[in-house]
Amino acid sequence: MTPLKTESAWRGISDCRHCGIRDMVLFADLNEHDFSRIHTPIDDLEYAQGNALYAEAGPAQAIFTLRSGMVKLVRSTLDGRPRIVRVLRTGDVIGLEALAGACYDSDAVALTPVTVCRIPIHLIHKLASHSPRLHGQLMSKWQRALKDADDWLADMNFGTARQRVGNLVLKMRNPNNHDLSLLFSREDMGAMLDLKLETVSREISRLVRGGVIKQLDKQGRIYRVIQPECLTAV
């Protein structure tokens, strides 16, 4: 695999009390007493598209709350091919495995420009031991991560090429506007779906010609979903 770039830009110290997406993130339920226990700075970081937050098998020293953008989790197959196992979006927690192990399970790479809050593991353990509210959020995030992983496996790894591409279009719809779907490079899509780049391009073109989706930008990343019921047809 190509060596990962891990550069980030420091944006300051996160203000968790006044976070604009606090209702979506790990510290959503914390009260003032809980916040008074946070003595370790939580860094607010920005990563450019293509840069890595961490690498597979790297030392797990922090988890990340995704404030904006999207991150792909990538693992290497036995024959050395990169395989995207999941895509994370705003509000998701990246690197949850750090709570139970010494190393990260995958590469975490910015699919788009992203901003994150980096929370040291020792701080999470300290807060969780004193706050049932954080413990509850951790369990909720674990459950969601497991469900997302199961859904990703079921939707992206089985069926015809057309069904896999259609399922990806549906899965990547904007949570606030299901008429819009944000896709990625054909190479990334192939790594997500275990399909060749040419196959992905052919299936996207077929959906556009059939009027199922409509391309809205020159790069072929943003699409309007016109006939969602046709996206999983055999």
Side-chain angles (χ1 to χ4, degrees):
M1 294 177 62
T2 302
L4 295 170
K5 295 180 180 179
T6 56
E7 294 93 342
S8 62
W10 189 67
R11 289 156 45 95
I13 302 301
S14 296
D15 182 1
C16 300
R17 285 183 176 86
H18 304 104
C19 177
I21 59 166
R22 181 174 162 184
D23 61 329
M24 300 173 62
V25 298
L26 190 61
F27 289 172
D29 297 332
L30 297 194
N31 58 26
E32 288 301 312
H33 179 68
D34 296 323
F35 281 119
S36 71
R37 296 179 178 275
I38 300 178
H39 303 299
T40 302
I42 296 175
D43 291 323
D44 186 357
L45 301 174
E46 185 176 45
Y47 291 82
Q49 180 178 339
N51 283 3
L53 284 69
Y54 55 77
E56 183 177 358
Q61 300 174 336
I63 63 175
F64 301 78
T65 291
L66 184 54
R67 292 171 53 84
S68 66
M70 289 186 284
V71 168
K72 60 182 177 181
L73 301 182
V74 186
R75 294 187 186 180
S76 296
T77 61
L78 292 177
D79 59 2
R81 291 181 298 122
R83 184 71 191 277
I84 296 173
V85 296
R86 197 147 55 94
V87 172
L88 304 177
R89 295 197 268 189
T90 301
D92 285 334
V93 176
I94 311 165
L96 272 171
E97 66 270 23
L99 297 175
C103 298
Y104 291 114
D105 291 342
S106 60
D107 298 335
V109 181
L111 263 174
T112 65
V114 302
T115 57
V116 299
C117 294
R118 182 173 61 192
I119 311 170
I121 289 299
H122 67 83
L123 175 59
I124 293 294
H125 286 310
K126 177 182 177 181
L127 287 173
S129 66
H130 292 91
S131 173
R133 290 164 292 279
L134 180 61
H135 184 268
Q137 276 289 337
L138 284 171
M139 293 302 100
S140 176
K141 295 294 184 181
W142 269 116
Q143 191 278 331
R144 178 176 173 180
L146 287 172
K147 183 180 185 304
D148 285 349
D150 289 343
D151 290 346
W152 192 270
L153 178 66
D155 294 340
M156 303 300 154
N157 291 271
F158 300 100
T160 64
R162 181 182 296 186
Q163 288 174 315
R164 295 187 196 188
V165 171
N167 279 327
L168 182 61
V169 173
L170 289 173
K171 188 170 288 292
M172 297 315 302
R173 287 187 294 180
N174 186 314
N176 300 315
N177 183 355
H178 279 189
D179 289 341
L180 297 179
S181 183
L182 175 62
L183 301 182
F184 322 109
S185 70
R186 301 300 183 256
E187 183 178 8
D188 274 336
M189 291 177 66
M192 293 176 191
L193 305 172
D194 197 22
L195 296 172
K196 294 181 179 179
L197 182 152
E198 295 81 8
T199 302
V200 173
S201 295
R202 183 178 65 248
E203 293 302 331
I204 289 290
S205 296
R206 182 180 295 175
L207 291 172
V208 171
R209 289 196 307 271
V212 179
I213 60 176
K214 180 180 180 181
Q215 184 175 327
L216 299 181
D217 67 328
K218 293 181 180 180
Q219 293 74 32
R221 303 295 178 87
I222 304 173
Y223 291 84
R224 184 175 303 281
V225 179
I226 300 171
Q227 300 180 59
E229 69 280 1
C230 297
L231 283 168
T232 54
V234 178

